[in-house]
Structure formats: C-alpha cells, structure tokens
Amino acid sequence: MIVAVPHYLHYPICIDIIKRFNKNIIVEKPIALNTSEAKKMIDTAIKNKILLRTFYPFIYENQILIAKRLFELGIVGEMHGFSLAFHRFRPKHYWTDKDNNLSWRGIKKYSGGGFLLMYLVHGINNLKHITGTRITEVNSFTANLFHNIEVEDTAVINFKCSDEALGSLTTSSAVIGSGASLMRIWGDCGQILINEDRVSFYSNKKIDKYKSKRWNEVKTKLHKKNTRSIFLDQYTHDLEKNIQTCKNERGYESIKIIESVYKSSENNKSVKINLNAK
C-alpha cells in the first residue's frame, strides 16, 4: 500500500496497515514526524515481516546515477567536503488552504518542520546514495524570514561526517524568481558538480574518454526518467526476493539528521548524531 498523506498521519496509518491488514508499505517522505515514530514503524514492520520503504525515487535520476558512477570511479578520490543548495519560491497558497488559513504544511505539529523536511531530505538522501558518507554532527540556523507560518522557510547548516569530510547546506522557500539546486562534492583528486540536471567534473585522474586536469561535462539523456516507476519496480523486485525492512531504513537516517538540525538551531549549539543508536 502507498501512504501519501500529511506527515502527521504517516505513523498512525502505517501502524494500522501493518497490524490490521498485514500489507507491505511505501510511505512518502518523511517517514514520520520524529525518530521515535520512525523507530516504532520500522520495528513493527520487522516484527510482522512487512517491507516498509520511504519513497525516495530521485536516486534514480540520470544525474544522480552518473555522479554515483563517477564517484565510484575515483574522480573525487578521498572525499573532503560537499555543499548543497536548494532554492525555490513557494507562494502563500502553498502554505494555506482555500479559506486562507494555514494548511497542515505551515503548522508545526502537523508537518513536523518546514522546507528542510519537505524537500532537503531528498538532497541528503541523494548525497548519501552517491558517496556513502554518514553525517555525524550538525550545527545549524533555521528561520522564518518571509512566510507567516510556524515552520522554517530558510536554513543554513554545517555538517561533519564519519570520514572527517565537512559539508554545508543552504535552502530557502522564499527566493524570489527562479530557484536552483546545486550539489558539489570534492576531494584530493577532483570534484563533481551537479547543477539541476547537468553533471560536470574535474579530476587529476583520466577516466574513460574524458581528459584529466580539465573540466568535463557528462551529457545526460534529454528525456527524463520516470523515477517513480523505477522505484516501484525496485520495490516489487525486493518483494519477490523476500527482502525485509532493515533497521537503518533510509527514512530513519534522514529524519534523525533533520531532527538533529532542528535541535541544533533551537539550542544554538552543534549536535552529534549517533546513527547506530535506536
């Protein structure tokens, strides 16, 4: 079953589906409002032999697959850092209902958070998919600078990873005009740049037909993949192979990182993340 409802309903509906109907589940991101709910969902799924997956289809986009291959070929070498930027504009009606009252998106207890939880979970998940890095500490600032809502519309975050790499992220849903998304990953041999649907890289290493010590652009296919369909195909394959829910489900790690980001901003100090603790 596919659960695509407001965030605060993910936990009770998924638990009900597992216990009452014993059905496998794909749940929209974020998996839940917090790590406590996410843990209970995952533990219940494991106990009942249910395949629970958070819906993260964008790892199948051409630019993400290409960047992952380049990283695995050693373009970057030992990773030293990364930067993420996701800038958009969301008009007032994105946060309100037809009567001009705040919708669930703009209310903290229903959404769990703002633009970070709505969109940046995808960016963090894509980064992990490409590099395999694990974020272990965050220091963040979040603010509501534009919209009259209860959740953040702007955030700046610094990251530290288990491999000692450092990273940063900036995001806002209040950037007037055309927004953009950008990911840069660099190391001791070179860097990979993902700019919307374009991938370019610079490396001291010669890889395939590309020249070393100069910028190269890798052309992505002109037509976009139906990443949602690919995700569903992979999910079906996992069902056929009887693959079960694992404790480090992608959705759990993402919500734990975002929860730590909010805690860091609220307490005005860095927060360490133990991703192995449940």
Side-chain angles (χ1 to χ4, degrees):
M1 298 186 73
I2 297 176
V3 177
V5 294
H7 300 167
Y8 69 99
L9 295 174
H10 289 187
Y11 171 72
I13 288 178
C14 287
I15 293 295
D16 197 43
I17 289 172
I18 296 171
K19 290 186 174 181
R20 291 182 59 193
F21 304 104
N22 199 41
K23 296 291 185 181
N24 296 298
I25 301 171
I26 296 173
V27 59
E28 257 290 3
K29 54 75 189 167
I31 186 173
L33 289 180
N34 51 58
T35 54
S36 177
E37 289 184 351
K39 180 183 183 302
K40 291 175 184 176
M41 289 165 64
I42 292 169
D43 288 347
T44 305
I46 292 172
K47 181 180 178 180
N48 290 273
K49 297 182 179 179
I50 293 297
L51 181 58
L52 172 68
R53 285 279 165 81
T54 312
F55 191 49
Y56 284 131
F58 298 140
I59 60 172
Y60 299 110
E61 289 186 333
N62 286 327
Q63 65 270 25
I64 302 302
L65 296 175
I66 289 169
K68 179 177 174 61
R69 178 175 177 273
L70 290 171
F71 188 87
E72 291 171 347
L73 287 172
I75 287 292
V76 167
E78 180 182 347
M79 189 174 81
H80 289 169
F82 62 88
S83 61
L84 300 171
F86 189 83
H87 301 147
R88 291 291 187 270
F89 180 74
R90 291 293 179 261
K92 183 178 179 180
H93 62 74
Y94 178 82
W95 305 102
T96 57
D97 59 24
K98 62 181 180 180
D99 297 318
N100 208 31
N101 298 314
L102 276 185
S103 69
W104 66 270
R105 286 191 183 95
I107 301 173
K108 177 74 172 179
K109 71 175 182 179
Y110 295 140
S111 65
F115 213 52
L116 282 170
L117 205 56
M118 300 285 182
Y119 289 99
L120 262 296
V121 287
H122 283 300
I124 291 171
N125 187 60
N126 287 345
L127 174 75
K128 178 175 173 55
H129 185 70
I130 293 168
T131 67
T133 193
R134 306 194 81 193
I135 295 169
T136 57
E137 189 171 352
V138 296
N139 192 350
S140 60
F141 298 92
T142 62
N144 182 339
L145 302 177
F146 187 84
H147 299 101
N148 186 24
I149 52 180
E150 296 180 6
V151 293
E152 84 285 345
D153 60 23
T154 304
V156 177
I157 311 165
N158 292 322
F159 301 97
K160 185 175 182 179
C161 301
S162 57
D163 52 10
E164 298 302 315
L166 301 178
S168 66
L169 178 153
T170 63
T171 187
S172 178
S173 63
V175 178
I176 305 298
S178 299
S181 60
L182 181 73
M183 181 187 298
R184 189 187 302 272
I185 303 164
W186 64 88
D188 61 354
C189 289
Q191 63 174 299
I192 300 170
L193 179 64
I194 307 169
N195 189 348
E196 296 291 346
D197 58 355
R198 300 188 303 278
V199 179
S200 54
F201 71 89
Y202 184 101
S203 182
N204 293 331
K205 292 185 176 182
K206 186 181 185 306
I207 301 294
D208 295 338
K209 62 182 179 181
Y210 302 104
K211 294 183 179 180
S212 62
K213 298 181 180 180
R214 58 163 288 182
W215 278 99
N216 296 272
E217 183 169 339
V218 184
K219 296 187 181 298
T220 60
K221 294 180 181 179
L222 294 178
H223 65 279
K224 285 187 174 291
K225 290 183 177 181
N226 187 337
T227 57
R228 291 167 173 80
S229 178
I230 297 172
F231 181 95
L232 293 174
D233 287 343
Q234 182 61 52
Y235 183 81
T236 301
H237 174 269
D238 291 346
L239 284 175
E240 292 172 348
K241 294 294 183 179
N242 198 32
I243 295 174
Q244 302 296 314
T245 304
C246 59
K247 285 188 175 294
N248 59 344
E249 212 291 313
R250 287 178 181 271
Y252 180 84
E253 184 164 335
S254 296
I255 194 66
K256 193 161 190 176
I257 292 169
I258 296 298
E259 193 173 72
S260 298
V261 167
Y262 288 142
K263 184 178 180 181
S264 171
S265 179
E266 290 167 4
N267 297 330
N268 196 28
K269 64 179 183 180
S270 64
V271 173
K272 292 187 176 181
I273 308 170
N274 182 0
L275 292 172
N276 295 320
K278 290 291 184 177

